[in-house]
Amino acid sequence: MATFSSRVTSLQVDWLLAGRTCVTSASKMAAMARGSSAVFRRLLVQQYRRRCLRIQEVCGGHAVLCPLPTMDSKLQMCSGSFQMLGRALHTSAVRGGAVVQFKLSDIGEGIMEVTVKEWYVKEGDKVSQFDSICEVQSDKASVTITSRYDGVITKLYYDADEVALVGKPLVDIHTESTSDVIQEEDVVETPAMAREEHTHQEIKGLKTQATPAVRRLAMENNIKLSEVVGSGKDGRILKEDILNFLAKQTGAILPPSPFQEIQTPPPAPSLATPSPAALKPPPAAPRRAFAGKDVTEPLKGFHKAMAKSMTAALNIPHLGLCEQVDLSHLVALRAQLKADAQGHGVKLSYMPFFIKAASLCLAHFPILNASLDESCQNITYKASHNIGVAMDTGLGLLVPTVKNVQLLSILEVAQELNRIQELGAAGQLGTADLSGGTFSLSNIGSIGGTYAKPVILPPEVAIGALGKIQVLPRFDALGHVTRAHIMNVSWSADHRLIDGATMCRFSNMWRDFLQNPASMLLHLK
Ligand code: CAO
């Protein structure tokens, strides 16, 4: 029996701090500005105007920097009322001919090192502000670091695949500054920031718990953190809290997953035309041939995160429950709806039904969409059904989440799944997509597995593993042998919180929805 292992958890680290990053996908920007609430448009433009480097903060998650002219033109496309700002509005900290030591900033959350995945520049290359310099990866996320300066790269401090240390120089850039060497202390805090109406220090003084990026988001929207109720651990203020606060102030309705829409990195193809090739994970990297010699190498990136989260999962007493589901009706229904979904530009697999059915059941069993604090004193029942989907990507196992499934139609779930699959295949999933899960599903059947024993992803309390749908003989009501499409599902639940009877009732309800998918109609909103 395969042992299911986990995803990266605790993805709250805000990678914005790793460099000045912002959304790159012009098409996503356009789509966002067309389809999102006024709040997001306002946020984007506001931030763009203020620093021309902070759009990423609104978005959260993975980000890549986009050259200004592209950003300008796309924002212009998005809204005629947006007055575009040119390079003149950029803060250039350096003038004259100086060498800037561009350091990797303190990104918080205890992260001390990242792996340099890829350099986009080499020594001698000319770079402009916002040009991508390199891609780095920690155990939390993958991020593109971008230049703050116009100049020439004079030194790369690491080779690809080497571990870069926070606070240490990443590259030297020869700029036109007058001073000889500028020590770039923190790639996040720019001189422009210090000139803004609210200073970092003022907000820090409020003694609220929030990451620097969240503080900045609040600051740039004139929100006092002391007035915001934090929904994170120990009252920590999350980006969602700021955006919800802002939405309440402005009366705007936030889309169900605000960060996802904005933060999507480029250059994924449009959802309207999903390419089947893009939906598949890239071919596995060729295995290293070991010839007679042991090789030891440091555990890096997502593997490191998996080791950490699975070690934490060992503290959870797992309750297991296995069940068989007859998906014959669902197989027929999906075959019927597949073309319709395709007409909407959406690839419809079975997962959206599994995910939506789980959400319908979670509404009846909120304890399965909860978390237990470390001292086992408090249960938090989560309002959103953010369903994590274990995904086999080129970077290894990741578990992006489909957010707010309770608000989505099956088609919308499918669309969201398509989006995160594309990002996963391109290795571009960001923090926003990889965090905030409240319940998870792992479809090992899509790669041919029959059974799995899933491991809970803390702080979640339950997970289901789905096997492959097999055509097997079954008896019908009249005792005749028929062909049936049977799938195994294995649930694991945190036995400190969830008893077997609860898990079994949940499983029965989920099974019944999928065995008779038409019954879901009665509960869809
Ligand atoms: N049984 C039979 N067929 C299945 C299936 C199952 N359980 N699950 C999916 N399929 C089919 C799909 O319907 C699709 O068929 P069509 O081309 O006819 O539509 C095909 O397999 C490919 O599906 P998919 O993988 O592109 O999409 P999906 O929505 O079913 O799954 C995802 C998405 C992300 C779950 C999947 O791509 C994936 O990564 N699976 C691996 C998860 C994993 O690694 N789990 C183990 C974690 S423990 O380390």
Side-chain angles (χ1 to χ4, degrees):
M1 184 172 289
T3 298
F4 162 68
S5 54
S6 174
R7 69 165 166 183
V8 181
T9 58
S10 310
L11 284 157
Q12 293 87 6
V13 166
D14 199 321
W15 265 102
L16 305 175
L17 305 182
R20 288 136 11 86
T21 50
C22 70
V23 234
T24 41
S25 170
S27 58
K28 292 287 178 191
M29 288 281 297
M32 177 197 66
R34 271 197 311 274
S36 299
S37 66
V39 171
F40 286 92
R41 264 181 262 181
R42 187 161 80 75
L43 282 173
L44 270 175
V45 174
Q46 211 174 47
Q47 299 206 17
Y48 190 69
R49 282 186 176 153
R50 287 188 178 174
R51 298 211 298 152
C52 299
L53 52 83
R54 299 277 202 69
I55 287 169
Q56 151 72 8
E57 289 172 38
V58 186
C59 315
H62 182 114
V64 186
L65 217 57
C66 126
L68 258 180
T70 310
M71 180 83 76
D72 282 353
S73 57
K74 287 303 170 186
L75 279 172
Q76 273 171 328
M77 278 169 52
C78 295
S79 166
S81 65
F82 293 173
Q83 293 304 309
M84 284 309 96
L85 307 168
R87 275 181 190 274
L89 279 185
H90 276 255
T91 304
S92 180
V94 184
R95 291 181 210 92
V99 175
V100 178
Q101 255 181 15
F102 193 95
K103 291 182 179 177
L104 187 63
S105 74
D106 176 3
I107 52 182
E109 304 281 342
I111 291 183
M112 298 310 296
E113 62 184 37
V114 295
T115 304
V116 178
K117 278 167 60 185
E118 187 180 356
W119 285 107
Y120 299 130
V121 293
K122 58 183 183 317
E123 289 173 6
D125 279 359
K126 205 160 182 271
V127 289
S128 300
Q129 291 184 61
F130 302 110
D131 281 354
S132 297
I133 290 180
C134 64
E135 184 92 4
V136 300
Q137 187 183 306
S138 80
D139 56 355
K140 312 283 182 187
S142 178
V143 167
T144 302
I145 304 288
T146 56
S147 174
R148 184 185 293 184
Y149 305 108
D150 296 336
V152 174
I153 302 285
T154 55
K155 180 170 179 176
L156 306 183
Y157 282 81
Y158 302 96
D159 287 333
D161 230 26
E162 272 190 341
V163 173
L165 301 177
V166 166
K168 299 287 179 200
L170 200 57
V171 293
D172 285 352
I173 303 176
H174 186 266
T175 71
E176 294 176 354
S177 172
T178 46
S179 51
D180 288 328
V181 175
I182 296 171
Q183 294 282 330
E184 178 74 8
E185 290 297 337
D186 186 312
V187 296
V188 177
E189 301 295 339
T190 68
M193 179 138 179
R195 286 201 294 274
E196 288 173 6
E197 303 137 22
H198 296 262
T199 68
H200 197 54
Q201 285 71 24
E202 276 171 336
I203 288 181
K204 266 186 182 161
L206 294 174
K207 289 186 183 166
T208 44
Q209 286 195 68
T211 62
V214 171
R215 290 179 189 283
R216 266 206 309 275
L217 180 58
M219 180 177 71
E220 294 193 350
N221 291 284
N222 295 320
I223 294 173
K224 288 184 181 168
L225 283 183
S226 56
E227 292 173 2
V228 180
V229 180
S231 64
K233 194 179 173 214
D234 300 327
R236 192 181 190 95
I237 298 173
L238 309 178
K239 275 187 219 158
E240 287 91 336
D241 300 325
I242 301 288
L243 294 174
N244 284 331
F245 185 88
L246 196 58
K248 273 185 203 146
Q249 278 188 332
T250 60
I253 299 168
L254 295 179
S257 51
F259 295 129
Q260 297 168 6
E261 188 177 36
I262 306 174
Q263 64 106 141
T264 305
S270 149
L271 272 184
T273 52
S275 109
L279 296 175
K280 296 277 174 217
R287 296 253 175 250
R288 189 172 302 175
F290 295 110
K293 196 173 161 206
D294 295 349
V295 174
T296 303
E297 57 187 22
L299 206 55
K300 288 180 197 161
F302 292 114
H303 285 121
K304 203 166 183 174
M306 190 161 78
K308 199 167 152 192
S309 61
M310 287 300 90
T311 305
L314 277 177
N315 292 326
I316 302 174
H318 280 56
L319 159 77
L321 178 85
C322 302
E323 180 61 270
Q324 285 198 340
V325 190
D326 183 343
L327 294 179
S328 302
H329 292 308
L330 181 66
V331 168
L333 181 67
R334 187 193 73 122
Q336 190 186 327
L337 296 178
K338 217 176 148 186
D340 285 351
Q342 194 63 53
H344 293 278
V346 177
K347 177 181 177 287
L348 183 67
S349 65
Y350 297 105
M351 276 307 273
F353 297 94
F354 301 153
I355 292 170
K356 188 64 195 180
S359 172
L360 293 176
C361 300
L362 289 174
H364 293 266
F365 298 93
I367 200 163
L368 287 160
N369 194 56
S371 67
L372 187 60
D373 68 9
E374 275 174 27
S375 54
C376 297
Q377 298 299 313
N378 300 293
I379 306 171
T380 302
Y381 296 93
K382 303 288 176 65
S384 300
H385 298 167
N386 297 340
I387 301 195
V389 179
M391 192 172 283
D392 182 35
T393 74
L395 294 173
L397 172 67
L398 294 178
V399 190
T401 54
V402 179
K403 302 269 195 322
N404 288 306
V405 175
Q406 79 280 6
L407 302 177
L408 303 183
S409 66
I410 289 172
L411 187 68
E412 287 167 332
V413 172
Q415 191 173 29
E416 212 18 37
L417 192 61
N418 286 183
R419 185 185 70 80
I420 55 180
Q421 253 185 298
E422 282 185 32
L423 293 178
Q428 290 180 333
L429 281 165
T431 310
D433 282 322
L434 290 169
S435 59
T438 60
F439 180 93
S440 288
L441 289 176
S442 170
N443 184 359
I444 198 75
S446 67
I447 47 179
T450 310
Y451 310 93
K453 183 181 167 197
V455 177
I456 297 165
L457 314 171
E460 297 171 20
V461 295
I463 182 170
L466 319 165
K468 69 179 173 211
I469 304 167
Q470 297 170 284
V471 178
L472 295 172
R474 287 292 182 268
F475 293 109
D476 66 13
L478 299 172
H480 300 134
V481 174
T482 59
R483 280 164 52 91
H485 291 82
I486 304 295
M487 183 182 77
N488 299 305
V489 57
S490 317
W491 302 105
S492 289
D494 185 338
H495 212 339
R496 295 170 301 180
L497 203 58
I498 294 148
D499 53 41
T502 304
M503 193 68 245
C504 188
R505 289 190 184 102
F506 172 92
S507 177
N508 290 346
M509 186 183 273
W510 186 82
R511 179 199 59 201
D512 292 347
F513 275 136
L514 293 167
Q515 291 195 155
N516 179 14
S519 68
M520 278 200 261
L521 286 176
L522 297 176
H523 304 272
L524 296 178
K525 290 180 178 140

